[in-house]
Amino acid sequence: MYSQSTVIVGGLAHIPVVIGVFSFIQKFFSKRASNFPQDTVPKKSPVKPVEQKSVPKPPPVAKAETTVVKKKHADVPVNIYRPKTPYEGTVIENYSLLKEGAIGRVNHITFDLKDSDPFLNYIEGQSIGIMPAGEDANGKPHKLRLYSIASTRHGDDFKGNTVSLCVRQLQYEKDGETINGVCSTYLCDIKPGDKVKITGPVGKEMLLPDEEDANIVMLATGTGIAPMRAYLRRMFEATEKEKNKWNFKGKAWLFMGAPKSANLLYEEDLQRYLTDFPDNFKYTKAISREQQNTKGGRMYIQDRVLESANELFNMIEDEKTHIYLCGLKGMEPGIDEAMTKAAAEKGLNWSELRPQLKKAGRWHVETY
Ligand code: FAD
Ligand code: A2P
């Protein structure tokens, strides 16, 4: 006969064995789950949007610190359409944004999304993927290229079922030959009525804050204006404001870099916002091939940042200020250098400040 205490001690002795067996089973199954390739995991069908927002994916379980950030953007639509099953959108319009005498080719292109099911909704600051028609040198379909969305979620016609892009045709010389970029040339050449394979939306880096009294500093070169155009329409376009009920009360400051005046993008709209909202909008241009910096070189946005160092850093010291950087990757070192000098003039250390701004979700960069 066993005494009661012997039974208890005997039972306790089995606990490590039981835990071990459970732990093995758990590890075995979680390993199998993580071995599934991304595309064979059943996809969630996104919900049709209410005011254009859906919840296509549950936020992943993550560390406490990152969960807070993820949770904040949990309702942002992502990857409604993927490369294996893109949406075929119809081109509504495709026109040049440049004036006579401009360099290169930059077009504004709008696609109809109304027949997408699930509905391809997006918010300001996101990008979509475009899969150009045709095949690469190896006979494989071309890979997708990303483009920042230049329209608000309500679209250029405010009906909520289009998306617009601002695309520069990539062109460069190689061995005496002009090379045209595959996707940017395809996009600049497409005609109304053409069908285009679209994926996305993607991106949570360039989203606007919810606060109506936030200050938004925008540093853009060329087509980097695309997300900024969407922000500014959200802030200042009358019909858009009626739709979005977002009553922007902060200060928006756009630094825009273009090679020539004729290359300035969406200039008429920006001038109208300046007239209508002089207290809320400031617009500073760096026209590299028409203006010179203090050293006699081409005027870039980082030179304008330096000129405005004091005012800019007064804004940055306000925790309601967000900074957005979009356009040429090559501008990043120049901007960093200018911010370092500008910060130093205020007795601040940019290499310490920048990570703090990033951590606080106030420093947003999308360069390519
Ligand atoms: P490709 O045919 O893919 O050629 C590009 C390749 O050409 C480069 O990888 C490089 O190998 C080579 N190359 C390029 N320049 C030179 C050179 N000078 N000398 C030698 N080789 C060179 N673009 C926009 O126009 N508007 C946008 O709003 C926009 N948003 C973007 C947003 C994101 C998040 C990202 C990542 C990119 C964005 N782009 C945008 C860039 C876009 O995705 C494409 O990279 C661009 O249009 C060029 O693609 P392509 O197919 O025309 O060129
Ligand atoms: P530039 O080409 O005269 O040297 P776009 O995309 O329409 O060409 O405009 C890009 C703008 O950004 C141009 O004015 C271009 O000047 C400018 N730019 C080029 N390189 C840099 C850089 N490293 N930093 C900031 N601006 C740049």
Side-chain angles (χ1 to χ4, degrees), residues 145-148 166-168 170 172 181-184 223 368:
R145 270 75 163 176
L146 290 176
Y147 292 89
S148 308
C166 172
V167 179
R168 161 175 277 289
L170 173 70
Y172 60 93
V182 172
C183 192
S184 57
T223 53
Y368 41 85

Side-chain angles (χ1 to χ4, degrees), residues 287-289 291-300 303:
I287 306 177
S288 54
R289 305 196 193 181
Q291 301 169 334
Q292 285 193 337
N293 63 20
T294 49
K295 291 182 196 146
R298 288 180 178 178
M299 176 65 85
Y300 286 162
D303 300 308

Side-chain angles (χ1 to χ4, degrees), residues 197-217:
K197 288 182 178 146
I198 304 174
T199 64
V202 293
K204 295 186 178 184
E205 170 68 22
M206 297 290 283
L207 307 181
L208 279 175
D210 293 333
E211 292 75 24
E212 294 178 336
D213 61 350
N215 301 310
I216 308 296
V217 175

